Amino acid sequence: MDAFAPIPPAWTKSAVHAFEFCCPSCGASSRDATEVWLNRRAPVYTEDHRRKWQEFYHCECGCVWWGWSSDRPKPDEPWSGA
């Protein structure tokens, strides 16, 4: 699966919005996802004119979730999930 494919994979249709950037079902990090797809074709612009997009994750527990790219923790920040 290409995370940057222009067409969303079928598994993204059941995605739920995760308000914390982790699996809403089991708390796993996005780094633990078995599949990832980034919706780069439809960016949203913030008040300060920065782009953000939806990132879809298929968790190892089976849950499919998405979060805004702007909510993803920076690589050097500790992850506070489960």
Side-chain angles (χ1 to χ4, degrees):
M1 172 73 231
D2 179 8
F4 299 102
I7 307 296
W11 59 263
T12 62
K13 290 180 182 169
S14 64
V16 296
H17 185 194
F19 294 100
E20 292 188 28
F21 207 84
C22 62
C23 177
S25 181
C26 73
S29 165
S30 60
R31 296 176 187 143
D32 296 325
T34 59
E35 296 180 281
V36 176
W37 183 71
L38 307 177
N39 184 9
R40 293 216 167 213
R41 296 189 65 161
V44 171
Y45 290 88
T46 64
E47 303 81 36
D48 60 352
H49 307 288
R50 292 180 182 246
R51 277 190 313 192
K52 66 179 182 178
W53 49 86
Q54 291 174 299
E55 298 184 2
F56 290 81
Y57 297 94
H58 192 180
C59 185
E60 58 193 1
C61 77
C63 180
V64 177
W65 61 276
W66 70 271
W68 291 112
S69 59
S70 58
D71 295 340
R72 183 178 358 98
K74 307 234 180 319
D76 57 337
E77 290 179 5
W79 177 67
S80 62

